[in-house]
PDB file of all heavy atoms in Angstrom:
ATOM      1  N   THR A  93     -46.926 -30.840-170.748  1.00  0.00           N
ATOM      2  CA  THR A  93     -45.654 -30.605-171.412  1.00  0.00           C
ATOM      3  C   THR A  93     -45.386 -31.772-172.345  1.00  0.00           C
ATOM      4  O   THR A  93     -45.922 -32.858-172.167  1.00  0.00           O
ATOM      5  CB  THR A  93     -44.494 -30.483-170.409  1.00  0.00           C
ATOM      6  OG1 THR A  93     -44.474 -31.648-169.585  1.00  0.00           O
ATOM      7  CG2 THR A  93     -44.645 -29.244-169.542  1.00  0.00           C
ATOM      8  N   SER A  94     -44.562 -31.556-173.353  1.00  0.00           N
ATOM      9  CA  SER A  94     -44.285 -32.593-174.328  1.00  0.00           C
ATOM     10  C   SER A  94     -43.070 -33.421-173.928  1.00  0.00           C
ATOM     11  O   SER A  94     -42.228 -32.982-173.145  1.00  0.00           O
ATOM     12  CB  SER A  94     -44.035 -31.955-175.700  1.00  0.00           C
ATOM     13  OG  SER A  94     -42.807 -31.249-175.695  1.00  0.00           O
ATOM     14  N   PHE A  95     -43.004 -34.628-174.498  1.00  0.00           N
ATOM     15  CA  PHE A  95     -41.834 -35.472-174.289  1.00  0.00           C
ATOM     16  C   PHE A  95     -40.581 -34.750-174.780  1.00  0.00           C
ATOM     17  O   PHE A  95     -39.526 -34.793-174.141  1.00  0.00           O
ATOM     18  CB  PHE A  95     -42.011 -36.797-175.045  1.00  0.00           C
ATOM     19  CG  PHE A  95     -40.775 -37.650-175.060  1.00  0.00           C
ATOM     20  CD1 PHE A  95     -40.426 -38.393-173.950  1.00  0.00           C
ATOM     21  CD2 PHE A  95     -39.955 -37.693-176.182  1.00  0.00           C
ATOM     22  CE1 PHE A  95     -39.275 -39.182-173.957  1.00  0.00           C
ATOM     23  CE2 PHE A  95     -38.814 -38.475-176.201  1.00  0.00           C
ATOM     24  CZ  PHE A  95     -38.477 -39.225-175.091  1.00  0.00           C
ATOM     25  N   THR A  96     -40.700 -34.083-175.918  1.00  0.00           N
ATOM     26  CA  THR A  96     -39.569 -33.341-176.479  1.00  0.00           C
ATOM     27  C   THR A  96     -39.070 -32.293-175.501  1.00  0.00           C
ATOM     28  O   THR A  96     -37.870 -32.164-175.248  1.00  0.00           O
ATOM     29  CB  THR A  96     -39.981 -32.669-177.803  1.00  0.00           C
ATOM     30  OG1 THR A  96     -40.427 -33.668-178.726  1.00  0.00           O
ATOM     31  CG2 THR A  96     -38.813 -31.913-178.412  1.00  0.00           C
ATOM     32  N   GLU A  97     -39.991 -31.539-174.919  1.00  0.00           N
ATOM     33  CA  GLU A  97     -39.625 -30.499-173.953  1.00  0.00           C
ATOM     34  C   GLU A  97     -38.995 -31.104-172.710  1.00  0.00           C
ATOM     35  O   GLU A  97     -37.974 -30.615-172.204  1.00  0.00           O
ATOM     36  CB  GLU A  97     -40.864 -29.692-173.575  1.00  0.00           C
ATOM     37  CG  GLU A  97     -40.618 -28.585-172.573  1.00  0.00           C
ATOM     38  CD  GLU A  97     -41.890 -27.865-172.197  1.00  0.00           C
ATOM     39  OE1 GLU A  97     -42.851 -27.880-172.994  1.00  0.00           O
ATOM     40  OE2 GLU A  97     -41.938 -27.272-171.087  1.00  0.00           O
ATOM     41  N   ARG A 100     -35.377 -32.434-173.510  1.00  0.00           N
ATOM     42  CA  ARG A 100     -34.390 -31.363-173.657  1.00  0.00           C
ATOM     43  C   ARG A 100     -34.081 -30.705-172.324  1.00  0.00           C
ATOM     44  O   ARG A 100     -32.940 -30.330-172.050  1.00  0.00           O
ATOM     45  CB  ARG A 100     -34.893 -30.335-174.670  1.00  0.00           C
ATOM     46  CG  ARG A 100     -34.896 -30.871-176.105  1.00  0.00           C
ATOM     47  CD  ARG A 100     -35.574 -29.931-177.067  1.00  0.00           C
ATOM     48  NE  ARG A 100     -35.558 -30.501-178.427  1.00  0.00           N
ATOM     49  CZ  ARG A 100     -36.274 -30.032-179.444  1.00  0.00           C
ATOM     50  NH1 ARG A 100     -37.044 -28.970-179.270  1.00  0.00           N
ATOM     51  NH2 ARG A 100     -36.198 -30.608-180.634  1.00  0.00           N
ATOM     52  N   ALA A 106     -34.249 -35.381-178.011  1.00  0.00           N
ATOM     53  CA  ALA A 106     -35.457 -36.163-178.259  1.00  0.00           C
ATOM     54  C   ALA A 106     -35.591 -36.488-179.741  1.00  0.00           C
ATOM     55  O   ALA A 106     -35.214 -35.694-180.603  1.00  0.00           O
ATOM     56  CB  ALA A 106     -36.682 -35.394-177.783  1.00  0.00           C
ATOM     57  N   LYS A 107     -36.116 -37.667-180.010  1.00  0.00           N
ATOM     58  CA  LYS A 107     -36.302 -38.101-181.390  1.00  0.00           C
ATOM     59  C   LYS A 107     -37.535 -38.985-181.462  1.00  0.00           C
ATOM     60  O   LYS A 107     -37.816 -39.751-180.541  1.00  0.00           O
ATOM     61  CB  LYS A 107     -35.061 -38.875-181.866  1.00  0.00           C
ATOM     62  CG  LYS A 107     -35.139 -39.401-183.285  1.00  0.00           C
ATOM     63  CD  LYS A 107     -33.864 -40.163-183.632  1.00  0.00           C
ATOM     64  CE  LYS A 107     -33.919 -40.728-185.045  1.00  0.00           C
ATOM     65  NZ  LYS A 107     -32.679 -41.490-185.367  1.00  0.00           N
ATOM     66  N   SER A 108     -38.289 -38.876-182.559  1.00  0.00           N
ATOM     67  CA  SER A 108     -39.473 -39.708-182.762  1.00  0.00           C
ATOM     68  C   SER A 108     -39.324 -40.507-184.051  1.00  0.00           C
ATOM     69  O   SER A 108     -39.047 -39.934-185.108  1.00  0.00           O
ATOM     70  CB  SER A 108     -40.737 -38.843-182.840  1.00  0.00           C
ATOM     71  OG  SER A 108     -40.972 -38.187-181.618  1.00  0.00           O
ATOM     72  N   ARG A 142     -45.654 -44.229-182.786  1.00  0.00           N
ATOM     73  CA  ARG A 142     -44.308 -43.650-182.766  1.00  0.00           C
ATOM     74  C   ARG A 142     -43.480 -44.284-181.651  1.00  0.00           C
ATOM     75  O   ARG A 142     -44.012 -44.673-180.600  1.00  0.00           O
ATOM     76  CB  ARG A 142     -44.354 -42.131-182.525  1.00  0.00           C
ATOM     77  CG  ARG A 142     -45.079 -41.353-183.581  1.00  0.00           C
ATOM     78  CD  ARG A 142     -44.864 -39.849-183.426  1.00  0.00           C
ATOM     79  NE  ARG A 142     -45.370 -39.338-182.161  1.00  0.00           N
ATOM     80  CZ  ARG A 142     -45.197 -38.078-181.743  1.00  0.00           C
ATOM     81  NH1 ARG A 142     -44.505 -37.217-182.470  1.00  0.00           N
ATOM     82  NH2 ARG A 142     -45.699 -37.678-180.589  1.00  0.00           N
ATOM     83  N   ARG A 144     -40.617 -43.111-179.178  1.00  0.00           N
ATOM     84  CA  ARG A 144     -39.994 -41.893-178.691  1.00  0.00           C
ATOM     85  C   ARG A 144     -38.646 -42.246-178.071  1.00  0.00           C
ATOM     86  O   ARG A 144     -38.556 -43.136-177.232  1.00  0.00           O
ATOM     87  CB  ARG A 144     -40.883 -41.194-177.651  1.00  0.00           C
ATOM     88  CG  ARG A 144     -42.363 -41.089-178.020  1.00  0.00           C
ATOM     89  CD  ARG A 144     -42.611 -40.376-179.321  1.00  0.00           C
ATOM     90  NE  ARG A 144     -42.063 -39.025-179.362  1.00  0.00           N
ATOM     91  CZ  ARG A 144     -42.683 -37.949-178.869  1.00  0.00           C
ATOM     92  NH1 ARG A 144     -43.857 -38.078-178.271  1.00  0.00           N
ATOM     93  NH2 ARG A 144     -42.139 -36.754-178.971  1.00  0.00           N
ATOM     94  N   ARG A 156     -51.545 -43.538-180.979  1.00  0.00           N
ATOM     95  CA  ARG A 156     -52.403 -42.362-180.830  1.00  0.00           C
ATOM     96  C   ARG A 156     -53.413 -42.266-181.977  1.00  0.00           C
ATOM     97  O   ARG A 156     -53.092 -42.581-183.129  1.00  0.00           O
ATOM     98  CB  ARG A 156     -51.546 -41.093-180.806  1.00  0.00           C
ATOM     99  CG  ARG A 156     -52.319 -39.822-180.479  1.00  0.00           C
ATOM    100  CD  ARG A 156     -51.451 -38.589-180.705  1.00  0.00           C
ATOM    101  NE  ARG A 156     -50.305 -38.538-179.821  1.00  0.00           N
ATOM    102  CZ  ARG A 156     -50.196 -37.692-178.792  1.00  0.00           C
ATOM    103  NH1 ARG A 156     -51.182 -36.865-178.527  1.00  0.00           N
ATOM    104  NH2 ARG A 156     -49.105 -37.695-178.051  1.00  0.00           N
ATOM    105  N   LEU A 166     -52.378 -32.880-191.766  1.00  0.00           N
ATOM    106  CA  LEU A 166     -51.279 -33.495-191.027  1.00  0.00           C
ATOM    107  C   LEU A 166     -50.530 -34.459-191.952  1.00  0.00           C
ATOM    108  O   LEU A 166     -51.140 -35.209-192.709  1.00  0.00           O
ATOM    109  CB  LEU A 166     -51.837 -34.260-189.826  1.00  0.00           C
ATOM    110  CG  LEU A 166     -50.849 -34.721-188.754  1.00  0.00           C
ATOM    111  CD1 LEU A 166     -50.191 -33.532-188.068  1.00  0.00           C
ATOM    112  CD2 LEU A 166     -51.570 -35.592-187.720  1.00  0.00           C
ATOM    113  N   GLN A 169     -44.040 -36.369-191.963  1.00  0.00           N
ATOM    114  CA  GLN A 169     -42.811 -35.687-191.569  1.00  0.00           C
ATOM    115  C   GLN A 169     -43.005 -34.842-190.316  1.00  0.00           C
ATOM    116  O   GLN A 169     -42.098 -34.727-189.481  1.00  0.00           O
ATOM    117  CB  GLN A 169     -42.311 -34.806-192.722  1.00  0.00           C
ATOM    118  CG  GLN A 169     -40.946 -34.170-192.475  1.00  0.00           C
ATOM    119  CD  GLN A 169     -39.833 -35.188-192.325  1.00  0.00           C
ATOM    120  OE1 GLN A 169     -39.890 -36.270-192.910  1.00  0.00           O
ATOM    121  NE2 GLN A 169     -38.809 -34.851-191.546  1.00  0.00           N
ATOM    122  N   SER A 170     -44.202 -34.260-190.157  1.00  0.00           N
ATOM    123  CA  SER A 170     -44.463 -33.400-188.999  1.00  0.00           C
ATOM    124  C   SER A 170     -44.553 -34.182-187.706  1.00  0.00           C
ATOM    125  O   SER A 170     -44.500 -33.604-186.611  1.00  0.00           O
ATOM    126  CB  SER A 170     -45.759 -32.610-189.214  1.00  0.00           C
ATOM    127  OG  SER A 170     -46.873 -33.479-189.312  1.00  0.00           O
ATOM    128  N   LEU A 171     -44.671 -35.505-187.784  1.00  0.00           N
ATOM    129  CA  LEU A 171     -44.812 -36.337-186.589  1.00  0.00           C
ATOM    130  C   LEU A 171     -43.481 -36.629-185.922  1.00  0.00           C
ATOM    131  O   LEU A 171     -43.447 -37.218-184.847  1.00  0.00           O
ATOM    132  CB  LEU A 171     -45.491 -37.658-186.942  1.00  0.00           C
ATOM    133  CG  LEU A 171     -46.835 -37.571-187.655  1.00  0.00           C
ATOM    134  CD1 LEU A 171     -47.356 -38.969-187.964  1.00  0.00           C
ATOM    135  CD2 LEU A 171     -47.844 -36.799-186.824  1.00  0.00           C
ATOM    136  N   LYS A 172     -42.388 -36.211-186.539  1.00  0.00           N
ATOM    137  CA  LYS A 172     -41.068 -36.498-185.981  1.00  0.00           C
ATOM    138  C   LYS A 172     -40.659 -35.500-184.910  1.00  0.00           C
ATOM    139  O   LYS A 172     -39.612 -35.649-184.285  1.00  0.00           O
ATOM    140  CB  LYS A 172     -40.039 -36.536-187.109  1.00  0.00           C
ATOM    141  CG  LYS A 172     -40.290 -37.686-188.085  1.00  0.00           C
ATOM    142  CD  LYS A 172     -39.234 -37.769-189.169  1.00  0.00           C
ATOM    143  CE  LYS A 172     -39.519 -38.943-190.104  1.00  0.00           C
ATOM    144  NZ  LYS A 172     -38.492 -39.064-191.164  1.00  0.00           N
ATOM    145  N   ASP A 173     -41.483 -34.486-184.703  1.00  0.00           N
ATOM    146  CA  ASP A 173     -41.229 -33.502-183.658  1.00  0.00           C
ATOM    147  C   ASP A 173     -42.388 -33.538-182.673  1.00  0.00           C
ATOM    148  O   ASP A 173     -43.203 -34.457-182.680  1.00  0.00           O
ATOM    149  CB  ASP A 173     -41.056 -32.113-184.276  1.00  0.00           C
ATOM    150  CG  ASP A 173     -40.227 -31.187-183.398  1.00  0.00           C
ATOM    151  OD1 ASP A 173     -40.027 -31.519-182.209  1.00  0.00           O
ATOM    152  OD2 ASP A 173     -39.802 -30.132-183.881  1.00  0.00           O
ATOM    153  N   SER A 174     -42.519 -32.520-181.850  1.00  0.00           N
ATOM    154  CA  SER A 174     -43.543 -32.481-180.809  1.00  0.00           C
ATOM    155  C   SER A 174     -44.932 -32.243-181.394  1.00  0.00           C
ATOM    156  O   SER A 174     -45.175 -31.222-182.057  1.00  0.00           O
ATOM    157  CB  SER A 174     -43.202 -31.362-179.811  1.00  0.00           C
ATOM    158  OG  SER A 174     -44.303 -31.105-178.962  1.00  0.00           O
ATOM    159  N   LEU A 175     -45.860 -33.163-181.157  1.00  0.00           N
ATOM    160  CA  LEU A 175     -47.241 -32.971-181.584  1.00  0.00           C
ATOM    161  C   LEU A 175     -47.904 -31.854-180.783  1.00  0.00           C
ATOM    162  O   LEU A 175     -48.751 -31.126-181.302  1.00  0.00           O
ATOM    163  CB  LEU A 175     -48.030 -34.274-181.414  1.00  0.00           C
ATOM    164  CG  LEU A 175     -47.922 -35.285-182.550  1.00  0.00           C
ATOM    165  CD1 LEU A 175     -48.711 -36.544-182.202  1.00  0.00           C
ATOM    166  CD2 LEU A 175     -48.422 -34.695-183.851  1.00  0.00           C
ATOM    167  N   TYR A 176     -47.527 -31.737-179.532  1.00  0.00           N
ATOM    168  CA  TYR A 176     -48.095 -30.679-178.695  1.00  0.00           C
ATOM    169  C   TYR A 176     -47.815 -29.312-179.325  1.00  0.00           C
ATOM    170  O   TYR A 176     -48.711 -28.462-179.433  1.00  0.00           O
ATOM    171  CB  TYR A 176     -47.504 -30.760-177.293  1.00  0.00           C
ATOM    172  CG  TYR A 176     -48.017 -29.703-176.346  1.00  0.00           C
ATOM    173  CD1 TYR A 176     -49.283 -29.795-175.792  1.00  0.00           C
ATOM    174  CD2 TYR A 176     -47.219 -28.612-176.006  1.00  0.00           C
ATOM    175  CE1 TYR A 176     -49.758 -28.823-174.928  1.00  0.00           C
ATOM    176  CE2 TYR A 176     -47.684 -27.642-175.137  1.00  0.00           C
ATOM    177  CZ  TYR A 176     -48.951 -27.749-174.598  1.00  0.00           C
ATOM    178  OH  TYR A 176     -49.404 -26.781-173.754  1.00  0.00           O
ATOM    179  N   ARG A 177     -46.580 -29.092-179.738  1.00  0.00           N
ATOM    180  CA  ARG A 177     -46.226 -27.815-180.354  1.00  0.00           C
ATOM    181  C   ARG A 177     -46.938 -27.666-181.697  1.00  0.00           C
ATOM    182  O   ARG A 177     -47.355 -26.561-182.080  1.00  0.00           O
ATOM    183  CB  ARG A 177     -44.715 -27.708-180.531  1.00  0.00           C
ATOM    184  CG  ARG A 177     -44.277 -26.337-181.010  1.00  0.00           C
ATOM    185  CD  ARG A 177     -42.805 -26.081-180.787  1.00  0.00           C
ATOM    186  NE  ARG A 177     -41.966 -27.039-181.494  1.00  0.00           N
ATOM    187  CZ  ARG A 177     -41.179 -27.910-180.893  1.00  0.00           C
ATOM    188  NH1 ARG A 177     -41.123 -27.968-179.568  1.00  0.00           N
ATOM    189  NH2 ARG A 177     -40.432 -28.740-181.588  1.00  0.00           N
ATOM    190  N   LEU A 178     -47.087 -28.764-182.429  1.00  0.00           N
ATOM    191  CA  LEU A 178     -47.796 -28.723-183.707  1.00  0.00           C
ATOM    192  C   LEU A 178     -49.255 -28.315-183.506  1.00  0.00           C
ATOM    193  O   LEU A 178     -49.788 -27.467-184.233  1.00  0.00           O
ATOM    194  CB  LEU A 178     -47.724 -30.091-184.375  1.00  0.00           C
ATOM    195  CG  LEU A 178     -48.247 -30.194-185.807  1.00  0.00           C
ATOM    196  CD1 LEU A 178     -47.312 -29.461-186.766  1.00  0.00           C
ATOM    197  CD2 LEU A 178     -48.379 -31.652-186.223  1.00  0.00           C
ATOM    198  N   PHE A 179     -49.902 -28.915-182.503  1.00  0.00           N
ATOM    199  CA  PHE A 179     -51.294 -28.578-182.212  1.00  0.00           C
ATOM    200  C   PHE A 179     -51.468 -27.100-181.866  1.00  0.00           C
ATOM    201  O   PHE A 179     -52.394 -26.439-182.335  1.00  0.00           O
ATOM    202  CB  PHE A 179     -51.818 -29.426-181.055  1.00  0.00           C
ATOM    203  CG  PHE A 179     -51.972 -30.892-181.369  1.00  0.00           C
ATOM    204  CD1 PHE A 179     -51.799 -31.847-180.372  1.00  0.00           C
ATOM    205  CD2 PHE A 179     -52.295 -31.318-182.648  1.00  0.00           C
ATOM    206  CE1 PHE A 179     -51.943 -33.198-180.650  1.00  0.00           C
ATOM    207  CE2 PHE A 179     -52.433 -32.672-182.939  1.00  0.00           C
ATOM    208  CZ  PHE A 179     -52.262 -33.612-181.934  1.00  0.00           C
ATOM    209  N   THR A 180     -50.582 -26.608-181.013  1.00  0.00           N
ATOM    210  CA  THR A 180     -50.739 -25.238-180.513  1.00  0.00           C
ATOM    211  C   THR A 180     -50.225 -24.184-181.480  1.00  0.00           C
ATOM    212  O   THR A 180     -50.844 -23.123-181.626  1.00  0.00           O
ATOM    213  CB  THR A 180     -50.023 -25.080-179.159  1.00  0.00           C
ATOM    214  OG1 THR A 180     -48.645 -25.432-179.305  1.00  0.00           O
ATOM    215  CG2 THR A 180     -50.666 -25.960-178.104  1.00  0.00           C
ATOM    216  N   ASP A 181     -49.094 -24.455-182.162  1.00  0.00           N
ATOM    217  CA  ASP A 181     -48.486 -23.440-183.024  1.00  0.00           C
ATOM    218  C   ASP A 181     -49.082 -23.422-184.426  1.00  0.00           C
ATOM    219  O   ASP A 181     -49.453 -22.354-184.936  1.00  0.00           O
ATOM    220  CB  ASP A 181     -46.971 -23.661-183.113  1.00  0.00           C
ATOM    221  CG  ASP A 181     -46.276 -23.424-181.785  1.00  0.00           C
ATOM    222  OD1 ASP A 181     -46.954 -22.985-180.828  1.00  0.00           O
ATOM    223  OD2 ASP A 181     -45.064 -23.692-181.687  1.00  0.00           O
ATOM    224  N   ILE A 262     -46.399 -37.808-171.683  1.00  0.00           N
ATOM    225  CA  ILE A 262     -45.955 -37.826-173.073  1.00  0.00           C
ATOM    226  C   ILE A 262     -47.002 -37.193-173.955  1.00  0.00           C
ATOM    227  O   ILE A 262     -48.151 -37.556-173.923  1.00  0.00           O
ATOM    228  CB  ILE A 262     -45.660 -39.258-173.545  1.00  0.00           C
ATOM    229  CG1 ILE A 262     -45.362 -39.277-175.045  1.00  0.00           C
ATOM    230  CG2 ILE A 262     -46.785 -40.191-173.242  1.00  0.00           C
ATOM    231  CD1 ILE A 262     -44.159 -38.533-175.435  1.00  0.00           C
ATOM    232  N   LEU A 263     -46.591 -36.239-174.737  1.00  0.00           N
ATOM    233  CA  LEU A 263     -47.451 -35.630-175.738  1.00  0.00           C
ATOM    234  C   LEU A 263     -46.781 -35.694-177.097  1.00  0.00           C
ATOM    235  O   LEU A 263     -47.362 -35.346-178.078  1.00  0.00           O
ATOM    236  CB  LEU A 263     -47.753 -34.168-175.379  1.00  0.00           C
ATOM    237  CG  LEU A 263     -48.691 -33.986-174.182  1.00  0.00           C
ATOM    238  CD1 LEU A 263     -48.811 -32.518-173.848  1.00  0.00           C
ATOM    239  CD2 LEU A 263     -50.060 -34.554-174.481  1.00  0.00           C
TER     240      LEU A 263
END
Side-chain angles (χ1 to χ4, degrees):
T93 55
S94 70
F95 171 78
T96 301
E97 180 182 336
R100 290 172 181 168
K107 179 181 179 181
S108 296
R142 298 191 298 174
R144 315 303 303 277
R156 187 190 296 253
L166 193 64
Q169 187 63 30
S170 63
L171 305 179
K172 295 183 179 181
D173 205 345
S174 167
L175 276 178
Y176 180 76
R177 187 162 60 245
L178 188 70
F179 292 149
T180 57
D181 294 354
I262 173 64
L263 289 175

